[in-house]
Amino acid sequence: MNYILLAAGFVLLIKGADYFVDGSASVAANLRVPPMVIGLTVVAMGTSAPECAVSVAASFKGDNAVAISNVIGSNIFNLMMVCGVCAVLSPLEVKEKILKREFPLSVLSVLLLLGAGFLGLIIGRLDGLILLALFAAFLAWVVKEAMGSRQNHGKSEEIKPLKGVRCLIYILGGIGAIVIGGDLVVDSASAIAENFGLSQTLIGLTIVAMGTSLPELVTSVVAARKGETDMALGNVIGSNIFNILLVLGLAGAISPMEVLKENLIDGIILLAMSVVVWIFAWCRKQISRIEGSVMIMIYAAYMGYICIR
């Protein structure tokens, strides 16, 4: 029964995020907000919504090991598997601004997480509020940059906004599905872990992390297949920043989270992987198919490591 509830939770998370993004994007389009701003804000937050729902639900229930390991595991999966698969499908061209802005910010966010963990072995309410403040500053900066660089054109023809009432139904229904799905995933994953004698950290790093990263995987793979490789990489890097600053910020502000030794080790691994991918991208301003294959193999090795440790 727990497996059925886990699967149902993931379906609700993914479809809920999908409807939430569609509804919110339609509101933005109706208000004539530039599509670039929609992509950098609404879509990025939408694909991070499952991680947010799971980690916040876990924080409310006191399952803090799930909250932290879910974010770290999702970020590692996004970086190595999602980027790796996209690069194998089509080499990822990397714009210089991503190398000089988003990549350093993603590395900095990991350093902030590790710093909070090493200092007190806890992410307290103050730490959570600081992360949320940084997230608000990051979001304001992204919107300002996007507004400043947009072209002066009319309403995008690519966006077909939903009507008012339908828009509201999509947004509220999406949020409801995300909240219920997050609750189901946390409860069922914790029960499965207990039945098999597995740690919540392991479940959070594997099943929960992969499940909540499905929106990023689908979005990025579709973008890569359509030749929008810049969008594919930007979605991953942006989501990883959102996951640490927003998701852990909210979870920490709700309930202080103990940082385990395993969390610190996984955080250091995430930092190392972030630097490796940054180097791959910097060398030739792209991530090649060979480098994408290497990233997938590194992730497979990491999965083997956490299963036997």
Side-chain angles (χ1 to χ4, degrees), residues 43-84:
V43 176
M45 281 191 283
T47 56
S48 290
E51 287 92 338
C52 191
V54 168
S55 292
V56 169
S59 185
F60 271 120
K61 296 174 184 293
D63 296 331
N64 293 330
V66 171
I68 297 177
S69 58
N70 171 46
V71 166
I72 294 176
S74 293
N75 280 17
I76 291 175
F77 183 85
N78 288 345
L79 197 63
M80 306 309 286
M81 275 299 291
V82 176
C83 278

Side-chain angles (χ1 to χ4, degrees), residues 48 51-56 58-59 63-73 75 109-110 112-114 116-117 122-133 135 239-259 263 267 270:
S48 290
E51 287 92 338
C52 191
V54 168
S55 292
V56 169
S59 185
D63 296 331
N64 293 330
V66 171
I68 297 177
S69 58
N70 171 46
V71 166
I72 294 176
N75 280 17
S109 64
V110 179
L112 287 172
L113 172 60
L114 288 173
I122 190 171
I123 297 177
R125 288 191 171 89
L126 179 59
D127 298 316
L129 292 173
I130 291 172
L131 290 175
L132 287 175
F135 169 74
S239 292
N240 280 9
I241 295 171
F242 275 43
N243 284 347
I244 291 178
L245 298 184
L246 175 62
V247 177
L248 283 185
L250 273 175
I254 291 168
S255 174
M257 298 179 290
E258 181 184 0
V259 180
N263 296 142
L270 171 60

Side-chain angles (χ1 to χ4, degrees), residues 6-293:
L6 183 66
F10 281 141
V11 170
L12 285 171
L13 283 173
I14 295 163
K15 293 306 294 180
D18 189 31
Y19 282 117
F20 171 72
V21 169
D22 286 346
S24 300
S26 293
V27 170
N30 284 324
L31 295 175
R32 295 183 181 272
V33 175
M36 183 184 294
V37 176
I38 298 172
L40 288 170
T41 54
V42 176
V43 176
M45 281 191 283
T47 56
S48 290
E51 287 92 338
C52 191
V54 168
S55 292
V56 169
S59 185
F60 271 120
K61 296 174 184 293
D63 296 331
N64 293 330
V66 171
I68 297 177
S69 58
N70 171 46
V71 166
I72 294 176
S74 293
N75 280 17
I76 291 175
F77 183 85
N78 288 345
L79 197 63
M80 306 309 286
M81 275 299 291
V82 176
C83 278
V85 169
C86 289
V88 169
L89 291 174
S90 177
L92 295 176
E93 300 294 330
V94 186
K95 289 186 178 179
E96 194 166 348
K97 69 174 185 177
I98 292 181
L99 291 171
K100 292 183 176 179
R101 297 191 314 187
E102 279 79 3
F103 257 116
L105 281 171
S106 69
V107 172
L108 179 61
S109 64
V110 179
L111 286 172
L112 287 172
L113 172 60
L114 288 173
F118 274 114
L119 285 175
L121 293 179
I122 190 171
I123 297 177
R125 288 191 171 89
L126 179 59
D127 298 316
L129 292 173
I130 291 172
L131 290 175
L132 287 175
L134 290 172
F135 169 74
F138 168 70
L139 195 59
W141 174 65
V142 166
V143 171
K144 183 180 177 182
E145 286 289 310
M147 293 292 286
S149 62
R150 67 172 171 148
Q151 296 178 348
N152 293 321
H153 52 63
K155 199 171 182 178
S156 174
E157 296 298 325
E158 296 178 2
I159 296 175
K160 297 178 180 178
L162 303 167
K163 299 299 181 183
V165 176
R166 193 177 178 189
C167 226
L168 187 63
I169 292 173
Y170 270 48
I171 292 173
L172 295 179
I175 292 173
I178 288 168
V179 171
I180 295 170
D183 206 39
L184 285 174
V185 168
V186 171
D187 287 344
S188 54
S190 298
I192 292 169
E194 289 177 7
N195 290 339
F196 283 92
L198 302 174
S199 69
Q200 290 186 344
T201 299
L202 178 60
I203 292 294
L205 285 168
T206 52
I207 299 173
V208 178
M210 290 179 190
T212 55
S213 289
L214 287 177
E216 285 91 342
L217 178 61
V218 173
T219 302
S220 295
V221 167
V222 169
R225 289 180 65 86
K226 290 182 177 181
E228 300 286 350
T229 55
D230 186 52
M231 181 189 297
L233 184 60
N235 174 47
V236 167
I237 301 301
S239 292
N240 280 9
I241 295 171
F242 275 43
N243 284 347
I244 291 178
L245 298 184
L246 175 62
V247 177
L248 283 185
L250 273 175
I254 291 168
S255 174
M257 298 179 290
E258 181 184 0
V259 180
L260 304 176
K261 182 183 72 174
E262 289 84 358
N263 296 142
L264 293 175
I265 294 172
D266 293 323
I268 292 170
I269 291 172
L270 171 60
L271 178 62
M273 289 179 175
S274 299
V275 173
V276 167
V277 176
W278 192 7
I279 292 171
F280 280 170
W282 193 281
C283 287
R284 288 178 294 181
K285 300 297 185 294
Q286 76 165 200
I287 300 175
S288 67
R289 286 189 170 90
I290 294 176
E291 289 166 338
S293 300

